[in-house]
Amino acid sequence: MGLLSDPNRRKALTGLLTRLNTPICIVCYLAGIVWFMGLAFEPFTLRTYMSENAMGSTMVEERFSSGERALSLAKEFDAHKRKAGGMPVEWLVKAMQSRGLEVFTQSFSRKLPFPDENKERYMVRGTNVYGILRAPRAPRTEALVITAPCSPGNTNNQAVALLLALAQYFRNQIYWAKDIIFLVNEHDLIGTQAWLEGYHHTNITEYISGSLRGRAGSIQAALSLELSSDVITSLDLVLEGLNGQLPNLDLANLFYAFCQKLGVLCTIQGKLQRNDWDTAEGYTHAAQTMMLMVLKQACGRSWGDHGLFLRYHIEAASVRGINSFRHYKTDATTIGRLLEGMVRKLNNLLERLHQSYFFYLLPSLSRFVSIGYYMPAFGLLAVILLLRALDLWVHLGAPALAAVDGVTEAEQPSSPGVLTVLTPVVISHLTGVALYLLPVHLQEMAVEHFPVSETEAVVLTAIAIYTAGLALPHNTQRLLSGEGTEQGWKVLKLTALLYLAVLLGCTALINFSLGFILAVTLVPITASITPALYAVVMVLLSPAFTILYCVFIYQELIEAPVSVSEGWMLFLSVISQGILDHALYGSLVYPLLALFIYPCWLMFWNILFWN
């Protein structure tokens, strides 16, 4: 404290930071990138461990043996689904009732703001079917959920059949201390969202759904099961939920523990775990796995039905059976035993999962990176904005030197008018409001005047407003205050730097991956911007191009590279999906980018054309 309270020392420290400002900023940026990439190196990570005593201290003997029965049920379910032309509601109700469950249905409908061309739907109507197995040894105040989406075609028939087989097996057991809800939802996430809103008596996304006549206790945890075919070679764990939320790490640890116990091949991000961490190939594999998690978390969408449960403080994960490793095979009985073991361990919980981490990254299922390890990487990037703001603050307060009759005198610099800075700030945010509101509201007008579909109209309108924003704000201050001064753009840059630092800091606290990706692209250009900078550099590091880069990087990481034209189409699809996710499920990424990040970037864009 003595260093800051002493005026002479404070002045010396400020002078040092301003004199070495640029080298320090460069070092911080490089250190932040190196720190982040080093997180995938195994000696810098922690080994996963079970923190919850109720799940780690008791061994469970799995006895489920109805795998063959589940496969025959899958064929029967598929036949009835084809006959009904969708989800066979009546057959599912009878099947659950015959297994001793209390069975209920929920009808729902939702009109999308514009057609979802990826899944070819606009007006969605469906029915959820769920059965409740009441706990025989508890007051029925808590519940667990096992869900299997009813997908079009032959997809996920095996998961629904296995769910029914598990329900029949669980019905004959007496050790359940929690109600168990077996949910078969239609129309994937839309059905799950309708059911959750009905269960918790909320309506935040304008769904039209019937009230739930049957309820269990407070839901403690949920598992979503998705099986791609009759032949399952490995199980993939999906954790990323809405707005980058993650379940408690103990849920992932539980899955990994039972996979190890039963000898099941398990993956995360579709990638197997490697033991050669001390080789270049092993490090690259771990880095790719971690980067995939970062990109998925940053997009803010729910990557499975489990992601919507997290909003209600319900720890949930999706287990996906995939057929991609020819030398391995896992039968339905083993998968059933894995789920049985996980549900029995969750049944032992005396309170919600809370002992382990909620903020983490996973380079593999056996290693994790905690928030205390990855946050310094973001902090090194964010401190650059504060250092540049400090440098500007010092220069703005320093008196200018002027020669009068051969004598150098200090002149107090004239401060710019309030409107000089306020005008571009207001116009930038009004452009952001237009980007947020107009694409959906102007789709009908666009369809009438141009030969495009509703979805294309929404996406192209968003791109048009984004592009128009580049022309609207710059030089606006001249309309009110005459020629822009050097003091004016420095004050605007100081304001924008502090604003961006707050935005990125708040974003990283909620969704580290999104905040870090934005910081990687925005920090260097915003910290170094002056009226002399080339505009093309600023555009190439804008939020839209950041999304485009992420699309190409993601495709490379999943080993499905695309051409420039294919990448552009995926980019347009990402925009439309982001707007839909916000309207349907409440994803916050699109409003964050439109209302805050893009206007903040426009404030820096003003500086390029200040003179």
Side-chain angles (χ1 to χ4, degrees):
M1 291 299 294
L3 179 64
L4 297 179
S5 60
D6 188 346
N8 294 327
R9 293 181 178 180
R10 184 170 64 246
K11 184 177 180 180
L13 178 61
T14 303
L16 178 65
L17 291 177
T18 53
R19 187 170 61 255
L20 300 178
N21 196 277
T22 300
I24 294 176
C25 289
I26 294 175
V27 170
C28 286
Y29 186 81
L30 296 177
I33 300 299
V34 171
W35 186 298
F36 177 77
M37 296 308 299
L39 296 176
F41 191 48
E42 185 166 315
F44 298 157
T45 61
L46 302 174
R47 185 175 296 278
T48 56
Y49 57 92
M50 196 71 71
S51 300
E52 184 62 58
N53 293 329
M55 295 198 303
S57 60
T58 305
M59 295 302 295
V60 173
E61 182 181 357
E62 304 82 21
R63 297 180 178 179
F64 177 78
S65 59
S66 303
E68 295 298 324
R69 174 57 180 159
L71 294 179
S72 63
L73 273 174
K75 296 178 181 178
E76 186 178 351
F77 175 72
D78 181 58
H80 283 84
K81 188 165 70 169
R82 291 175 182 271
K83 182 179 179 181
M87 191 163 106
V89 176
E90 295 183 2
W91 182 85
L92 277 172
V93 170
K94 293 179 181 179
M96 288 186 178
Q97 287 176 342
S98 66
R99 287 160 175 78
L101 305 180
E102 297 180 17
V103 186
F104 306 93
T105 62
Q106 179 204 29
S107 299
F108 63 89
S109 63
R110 179 65 160 93
K111 183 179 180 181
L112 276 60
F114 56 91
D116 183 358
E117 294 186 350
N118 291 334
K119 298 183 179 180
E120 298 180 351
R121 58 189 183 185
Y122 181 44
M123 184 64 195
V124 178
R125 292 186 177 88
T127 304
N128 294 322
V129 180
Y130 64 103
I132 303 176
L133 174 61
R134 299 295 181 181
R137 303 183 60 183
R140 303 176 180 178
T141 58
E142 297 178 344
L144 303 173
V145 174
I146 305 176
T147 176
C150 178
S151 305
N154 298 326
T155 309
N156 222 42
N157 292 341
Q158 298 79 11
V160 175
L162 186 57
L163 180 142
L164 294 175
L166 284 170
Q168 184 172 3
Y169 172 75
F170 287 178
R171 181 69 179 82
N172 298 324
Q173 312 306 315
I174 63 171
Y175 42 67
W176 301 115
K178 294 178 173 60
D179 294 343
I180 302 178
I181 303 173
F182 299 89
L183 170 64
V184 180
N185 56 291
E186 195 173 6
H187 299 298
D188 49 75
L189 293 177
I190 293 181
T192 303
Q193 180 67 21
W195 188 83
L196 284 170
E197 289 190 358
Y199 194 90
H200 294 92
H201 301 292
T202 60
N203 188 5
I204 58 178
T205 51
E206 300 179 1
Y207 280 77
I208 302 175
S209 58
S211 59
L212 300 186
R213 291 177 294 169
R215 297 182 74 256
S218 173
I219 301 176
Q220 305 294 299
L223 295 173
S224 177
L225 182 61
E226 301 176 21
L227 303 178
S228 59
S229 66
D230 292 331
V231 179
I232 301 299
T233 61
S234 63
L235 295 179
D236 189 61
L237 183 66
V238 184
L239 300 173
E240 298 84 8
L242 191 68
N243 296 320
Q245 283 185 280
L246 297 172
N248 190 273
L249 184 58
D250 269 345
L251 196 60
N253 297 337
L254 183 64
F255 169 80
Y256 181 65
F258 274 100
C259 286
Q260 295 294 101
K261 178 182 179 181
L262 299 173
V264 176
L265 195 66
C266 55
T267 63
I268 187 166
Q269 313 303 340
K271 293 184 178 293
L272 289 170
Q273 181 170 304
R274 296 179 57 146
N275 297 321
D276 56 341
W277 57 266
D278 54 346
T279 64
E281 293 79 8
Y283 166 77
T284 302
H285 183 85
Q288 290 175 347
T289 305
M290 187 179 70
M291 280 300 301
L292 275 172
M293 183 174 185
V294 168
L295 290 174
K296 285 185 175 181
Q297 187 183 16
C299 76
R301 64 173 301 190
S302 176
W303 289 83
D305 287 356
H306 73 282
L308 300 179
F309 285 86
L310 298 173
R311 169 190 287 170
Y312 296 91
H313 305 288
I314 300 170
E315 307 310 314
S318 289
V319 178
R320 286 180 180 163
I322 56 178
N323 180 12
S324 58
F325 304 100
R326 297 182 179 179
H327 301 292
Y328 301 90
K329 184 177 179 181
T330 302
D331 57 17
T333 299
T334 304
I335 299 175
R337 288 181 176 177
L338 183 141
L339 292 173
E340 176 197 356
M342 292 183 68
V343 174
R344 287 191 62 180
K345 283 293 187 75
L346 293 170
N347 181 64
N348 293 336
L349 289 176
L350 300 178
E351 52 189 344
R352 292 182 182 272
L353 288 173
H354 69 283
Q355 298 281 2
S356 193
Y357 294 88
F358 288 94
F359 300 95
Y360 53 86
L361 298 175
L362 292 177
S364 69
L365 278 172
S366 63
R367 315 289 298 190
F368 76 99
V369 181
S370 72
I371 184 173
Y373 282 51
Y374 64 65
M375 262 306 183
F378 172 80
L380 287 169
L381 300 181
V383 75
I384 297 174
L385 300 175
L386 300 181
L387 289 174
R388 299 303 288 176
L390 174 64
D391 183 59
L392 279 173
W393 176 264
V394 172
H395 282 86
L396 284 172
L401 298 179
V404 179
D405 296 331
V407 180
T408 302
E409 297 181 356
E411 292 183 354
Q412 192 66 25
S414 60
S415 58
V418 175
L419 291 180
T420 304
V421 178
L422 187 61
T423 302
V425 172
V426 172
I427 292 182
S428 296
H429 283 80
L430 289 178
T431 307
V433 172
L435 180 60
Y436 175 69
L437 295 176
L438 295 184
V440 175
H441 289 83
L442 295 182
Q443 59 175 307
E444 296 181 0
M445 182 185 302
V447 170
E448 291 179 359
H449 293 83
F450 302 97
V452 293
S453 64
E454 289 89 343
T455 306
E456 292 172 338
V458 171
V459 175
L460 294 178
T461 302
I463 294 177
I465 296 174
Y466 185 96
T467 306
L470 305 183
L472 285 176
H474 70 264
N475 286 338
T476 311
Q477 74 283 354
R478 296 187 182 182
L479 298 177
L480 298 175
S481 306
E483 290 294 327
T485 64
E486 182 177 358
Q487 294 289 324
W489 73 260
K490 287 184 176 181
V491 171
L492 178 60
K493 182 179 179 179
L494 174 61
T495 305
L497 284 172
L498 295 176
Y499 183 33
L500 182 61
V502 172
L503 280 179
L504 294 181
C506 294
T507 302
L509 290 176
I510 301 172
N511 187 339
F512 163 78
S513 299
L514 179 59
F516 183 79
I517 289 175
L518 290 173
V520 168
T521 56
L522 294 180
V523 165
I525 191 67
T526 55
S528 58
I529 189 170
T530 64
L533 189 70
Y534 289 108
V536 64
V537 179
M538 188 74 178
V539 172
L540 290 176
L541 293 176
S542 66
F545 273 85
T546 300
I547 298 174
L548 184 62
Y549 301 147
C550 289
V551 169
F552 283 101
I553 294 173
Y554 177 78
Q555 293 300 127
E556 289 290 337
L557 291 175
I558 64 173
E559 300 177 2
V562 294
S563 63
V564 175
S565 60
E566 292 172 334
W568 174 254
M569 295 306 297
L570 287 174
F571 169 71
L572 299 181
S573 177
V574 167
I575 295 176
S576 65
Q577 198 62 49
I579 299 175
L580 272 178
D581 286 345
H582 171 60
L584 294 177
Y585 317 118
S587 172
L588 299 177
V589 173
Y590 179 68
L592 172 69
L593 295 178
L595 296 176
F596 297 101
I597 300 298
Y598 176 60
C600 184
W601 180 86
L602 281 181
M603 292 166 62
F604 290 100
W605 179 257
N606 276 270
I607 297 173
L608 290 179
F609 304 92
W610 195 267
N611 296 326

